[in-house]
Amino acid sequence: MMEIYTVQQGDTLWRIANRLDADLAQLFLANGLTASSPLVPGQALAVPDRFFQYIVQEGDQLGTIAARLGVLAQALINANQLRNPASLFPGQVLFIPYRNHTVKQGETLYGIARTYGADMGAIMQANRLPGTALSAGQVLRIPAPRRPVKEVNAYTTGFGAAGTAEVYQLGPYFTYLSPFRHTFREDGSLTPLNDRSVLQAAEANGVLPLLILANFTSEGFSSDLAARLLRNEALQETLISNLLATIRQKGYRGVNFDFEYVYPEDRDRYTAFLRRVARRFRPEGLLVSTALAPKISGTQPGLLYEAHDYGAHGAIVDFVILMTYEWGWAGGRPRAIAPIPEVRRVLDYAVTVIPRNKIMMGAPLYGRDWRIPWRAGTTARTISPHEALSLAARYGADIRYHPTDQAPYFRYTDASGQQHEVWFEDARSMRAKINLLNEYGLRGISYWVLGNPFPENWVVQQALIQARKR
């Protein structure tokens, strides 16, 4: 089974690998480390499952990997839904569907199953065993533990070479890719987006692209822009026609409406607009979805929340993305970006009004660095998980893990004497989120946002769920 190891004072990666009986090279790759990478006390390391996960190394080819692991190459292709088996990337996490085990004298089926973290009944079924008796020298096929199949969405804002390369590399882990964003003008036309290369990368990995449409202007999300649309049915028809034309031209497979700060009085108009979109999109086999603010009740006050009718959206659209993050927002006090108790409160309400198989739970792939003591009007800096680790190493900070929020954090003092507090994501916090997804039986998970190096997350995801490919 995949493990997560918390670094202790004086640890080295070599000692950790020996202690855990882990492959040192695999440990480096799983955590994006190099020989010069410092380890920080409290840092969480993703330790790949030595039986059922393999991290692709430089120069690896699928055939040599399969031979080394003793599995069929086609079995690896099928288990990992590889569209182009000849193009593997260093750091790519492969799920191994089975391993072969030669029975030694005195071994029992129970003991073998425990060693591999496998189900004894599944081993018996895979090998058509009439009973539990084994013979020395007998070769058993050990099937990997079954993982729930979930849909996975990832937003991206990177449309250059680096962003495109990231989609090529991470595409095997996704069901959907959501390039952020298109918006619309007052005449119902769409603003352009230079998304061609990331759409090609998505297609190469069998990832369905979703067109994100937001009520966005140069000043941010606009309540007035949404109102102009929602209060004019003729304008809506024009916009929908333009959406369909763009989707057909670019090869999108559906639309996700990210309408934020909609006036409360436009709540029912937003619902009616979604019904109009669904009537036009469904005959063409296109998906309709929405992004929703994280509400804990149907009467929650506030401009961000009131126009988002959870029950109506759940009835109309194919799925919703709950934006269960940003409690630790850039303009607010230091805290976890997505504290588990807060996420639970949103899910507890959501599942009462939206079918579970229509809920995508949001998850952040970033952290924030606040100056403390915190003062109103200051803005935290958004950082990647690995940038957080670099800060902790540079300033000699030990990383702590909040047991309730289930998120890592630390404090440091910079060269100017300014104190900081950092909250971010690591392998432990992402495991907690994916476990929550499985516990609630939701449709899937939606990441905001690519562009932040976080290789540990994909090791965790591959161990706990299988991304659905449509």
Side-chain angles (χ1 to χ4, degrees):
M1 296 174 63
M2 189 216 72
E3 298 181 54
I4 296 175
Y5 178 81
T6 303
V7 174
Q8 308 297 312
Q9 190 72 42
D11 269 341
T12 67
L13 210 60
W14 182 82
R15 288 176 183 166
I16 294 169
N18 276 350
R19 187 180 309 152
L20 301 178
D21 194 21
D23 183 282
L24 184 60
Q26 294 282 289
L27 205 53
F28 271 109
L29 288 163
N31 295 280
L33 302 174
T34 66
S36 61
S37 297
L39 293 180
V40 181
Q43 177 180 353
L45 297 176
V47 183
D49 187 319
R50 62 194 178 105
F51 299 119
F52 300 113
Q53 286 183 305
Y54 179 80
I55 317 294
V56 176
Q57 304 180 71
E58 192 72 47
D60 271 344
Q61 294 181 346
L62 191 72
T64 56
I65 295 171
R68 187 182 314 146
L69 300 175
V71 301
L72 295 174
Q74 190 60 49
L76 283 177
I77 292 170
N78 295 343
N80 294 279
Q81 304 171 96
L82 299 177
R83 293 299 180 100
N84 189 357
S87 295
L88 298 178
F89 296 92
Q92 183 173 348
V93 187
L94 295 180
F95 185 77
I96 306 167
Y98 65 88
R99 298 301 295 266
N100 293 317
H101 177 86
T102 303
V103 178
K104 299 181 181 65
Q105 189 68 42
E107 282 190 314
T108 66
L109 191 61
Y110 173 80
I112 293 169
R114 188 173 180 181
T115 296
Y116 288 92
D119 180 76
M120 193 163 71
I123 297 174
M124 293 179 68
Q125 184 177 6
N127 295 276
R128 299 180 180 178
L129 298 178
T132 59
L134 301 176
S135 303
Q138 183 177 0
V139 178
L140 296 178
R141 176 172 286 194
I142 313 296
R146 289 197 172 193
R147 302 165 296 162
V149 179
K150 300 293 182 181
E151 293 193 348
V152 180
N153 176 63
Y155 289 97
T156 183
T157 57
F159 302 107
T164 300
E166 186 176 30
V167 175
Y168 273 115
Q169 293 175 16
L170 300 182
Y173 312 131
F174 304 147
T175 310
Y176 308 111
L177 180 77
S178 296
F180 193 83
R181 58 184 155 60
H182 284 83
T183 186
F184 58 96
R185 305 182 182 94
E186 293 185 15
D187 63 357
S189 61
L190 302 187
T191 57
L193 188 66
N194 186 21
D195 50 6
R196 181 178 178 182
S197 61
V198 294
L199 294 180
Q200 289 174 337
E203 182 180 8
N205 280 292
V207 178
L208 304 186
L210 301 177
L211 187 151
I212 304 300
L213 189 72
N215 56 321
F216 212 83
T217 70
S218 59
E219 297 179 354
F221 284 98
S222 169
S223 306
D224 290 334
L225 181 61
R228 290 189 190 98
L229 173 70
L230 299 176
R231 299 174 189 181
N232 186 330
E233 293 185 4
L235 182 59
Q236 292 175 34
E237 291 295 339
T238 299
L239 174 64
I240 294 169
S241 295
N242 288 332
L243 272 174
L244 286 168
T246 300
I247 284 171
R248 293 176 190 129
Q249 175 195 350
K250 292 189 172 185
Y252 280 102
R253 300 297 296 275
V255 64
N256 178 270
F257 293 102
D258 185 10
F259 283 15
E260 301 187 29
Y261 300 100
V262 177
Y263 289 125
E265 57 265 34
D266 288 327
R267 172 185 173 118
D268 291 341
R269 295 186 184 98
Y270 188 16
T271 297
F273 169 67
L274 292 173
R275 289 195 184 97
R276 182 171 286 112
V277 172
R279 284 196 297 269
R280 296 278 300 274
F281 274 51
R282 291 262 162 70
E284 301 201 27
L286 297 172
L287 295 166
V288 179
S289 60
T290 55
L292 297 178
K295 297 174 63 166
I296 59 173
S297 78
T299 57
Q300 186 167 338
L303 183 60
L304 181 63
Y305 309 103
E306 291 181 48
H308 285 181
D309 186 334
Y310 271 32
H313 286 230
I316 296 166
V317 303
D318 294 290
F319 61 86
V320 302
I321 293 173
L322 301 184
M323 294 183 282
T324 38
Y325 37 76
E326 285 295 280
W327 279 271
W329 65 291
R333 295 178 180 275
R335 69 177 302 190
I337 309 298
I340 290 296
E342 299 292 354
V343 177
R344 276 190 179 277
R345 292 176 72 199
V346 175
L347 295 181
D348 285 342
Y349 166 60
V351 298
T352 66
V353 289
I354 304 173
R356 293 172 191 256
N357 64 0
K358 285 191 174 188
I359 297 174
M360 300 278 280
M361 182 189 76
L365 296 178
Y366 58 93
R368 290 223 164 91
D369 180 352
W370 284 267
R371 295 187 297 276
I372 56 172
W374 179 81
R375 294 181 178 85
T378 60
T379 303
R381 187 168 65 95
T382 301
I383 59 176
S384 74
H386 275 210
E387 191 174 356
L389 293 175
S390 295
L391 284 170
R394 185 186 314 160
Y395 293 105
D398 289 359
I399 295 170
R400 299 180 179 181
Y401 191 74
H402 196 286
T404 304
D405 288 348
Q406 296 192 53
Y409 68 100
F410 62 91
R411 289 183 173 181
Y412 72 93
T413 303
D414 66 24
S416 71
Q418 173 65 55
Q419 292 184 307
H420 295 251
E421 184 168 321
V422 175
W423 290 81
F424 63 109
E425 302 296 330
D426 68 5
R428 295 168 293 188
S429 67
M430 298 311 293
R431 178 176 62 183
K433 291 172 179 60
I434 296 177
N435 283 341
L436 203 61
L437 161 74
N438 288 333
E439 176 189 335
Y440 279 80
L442 306 180
R443 181 188 187 101
I445 191 166
S446 176
Y447 295 117
W448 179 269
V449 59
L450 299 185
N452 299 298
F454 194 12
E456 304 95 309
N457 182 64
W458 315 117
V459 179
V460 173
Q461 178 185 304
Q462 282 286 73
L464 297 179
I465 60 174
Q466 177 183 340
R468 186 187 303 280
K469 294 288 188 180
R470 285 177 169 268

